[in-house]
Amino acid sequence: MTVEIMTESLTEKQWQIVHAIAIALVKDNTDVNELGKAIAYLRATVNKPNAGANFFKYLKTLVSNGRQIGHSGKTPDYYRSIDKACSQYLQSEQANAQKMLEILGWSARLMRYYKDAGLIEEIPTPVVESTRKAETAGVINTYNFAIGQILEATVTTKKGNKVTYQILGIIKITEKEPKKAQFISEGQTVKIEIVDLKEDGSIKKVKWVE
């Protein structure tokens, strides 16, 4: 009964994360019991503030101190593999520690399955699209950008004559503004013009207009 509830609560993307973590760890010959210890830490702290971010800090600590706290010479490698897989696939769920717990729980189950099933090398690791990439794609599809279009942007950083614009709150583009950078300040809201697009319709190049 519990299994059915948890299955329905994960999205397709989260299931991809489950499989990606499990496959990555099995391919690295990681001990599932070490993942279980990381899960136990997250379970114990899941209701505390910043539990997701603290979990990633915990993994970094395990990697740094693996030789002192490990039970065998392989333990540091296990920690490194867990940290690598979680950093690569689980970061997008950082704001929801409870969901991270579900994902890792299923990853541990699948590790045992993939390990016993064999032929793990023939199973391709799912491509997990980052949250930021998915959001950017959504913006591209929504706004249908065009060359010559004027947009409002926020200047997030300025280094010399290089200015980074944040557009629609998600897209960041850095451009050289040799003649205008001196008049632009970080945090300033400006208007930029789209001067080139990529094949997928996303913005390739912009210039400051006012």
Side-chain angles (χ1 to χ4, degrees):
M1 187 63 173
T2 302
V3 170
E4 290 179 357
I5 293 173
M6 292 180 70
T7 301
E8 292 174 358
S9 70
L10 295 181
T11 65
E12 181 178 349
K13 178 192 168 190
Q14 288 164 344
W15 274 112
Q16 290 178 342
I17 295 173
V18 168
H19 285 271
I21 292 174
I23 292 171
L25 294 182
V26 172
K27 285 184 174 178
D28 282 349
N29 293 315
T30 304
D31 186 344
V32 68
N33 293 318
E34 297 300 335
L35 177 61
K37 293 175 184 176
I39 293 172
Y41 168 84
L42 182 58
R43 183 180 297 114
T45 60
V46 70
N47 293 319
K48 295 183 178 179
N50 302 315
N54 289 336
F55 175 73
F56 288 102
K57 292 178 183 176
Y58 170 74
L59 294 182
K60 300 295 183 190
T61 301
L62 288 180
V63 172
S64 299
N65 299 284
R67 292 189 181 280
Q68 287 76 31
I69 61 179
H71 302 294
S72 73
K74 294 182 179 179
T75 305
D77 291 333
Y78 298 153
Y79 293 154
R80 277 191 284 272
S81 295
I82 294 169
D83 177 48
K84 180 182 176 183
C86 290
S87 297
Q88 182 174 355
Y89 298 116
L90 199 59
Q91 287 279 1
S92 61
E93 305 296 327
Q94 183 172 305
N96 190 342
Q98 186 62 50
K99 196 60 63 179
M100 289 172 59
L101 193 57
E102 290 185 32
I103 289 171
L104 289 174
W106 278 105
S107 293
R109 294 179 180 87
L110 278 178
M111 280 182 70
R112 294 187 175 89
Y113 168 77
Y114 282 132
K115 204 163 187 175
D116 293 340
L119 302 176
I120 188 68
E121 295 300 333
E122 298 180 5
I123 303 174
T125 302
V127 176
V128 180
E129 191 177 59
S130 69
T131 300
R132 183 177 179 79
K133 188 175 180 180
E135 290 175 346
T136 302
V139 169
I140 293 170
N141 294 331
T142 300
Y143 286 90
N144 193 22
F145 298 118
I147 294 175
Q149 186 176 359
I150 304 297
L151 296 169
E152 198 168 81
T154 301
V155 177
T156 58
T157 56
K158 189 180 77 168
K159 294 181 179 178
N161 64 4
K162 291 184 178 180
V163 180
T164 299
Y165 301 105
Q166 186 175 47
I167 305 163
L168 299 171
I170 184 70
I171 301 170
K172 285 189 176 181
I173 294 181
T174 300
E175 297 287 359
K176 288 184 178 179
E177 299 282 8
K179 296 181 180 178
K180 301 173 180 175
Q182 60 181 314
F183 305 110
I184 301 173
S185 303
E186 291 185 2
Q188 184 180 353
T189 300
V190 299
K191 289 187 177 179
I192 50 95
E193 178 184 350
I194 298 175
V195 295
D196 200 4
L197 295 173
K198 298 178 183 177
E199 291 184 357
D200 63 358
S202 60
I203 301 172
K204 183 177 182 180
K205 190 174 179 58
V206 301
K207 67 177 182 181
W208 182 85
V209 290
E210 65 175 276

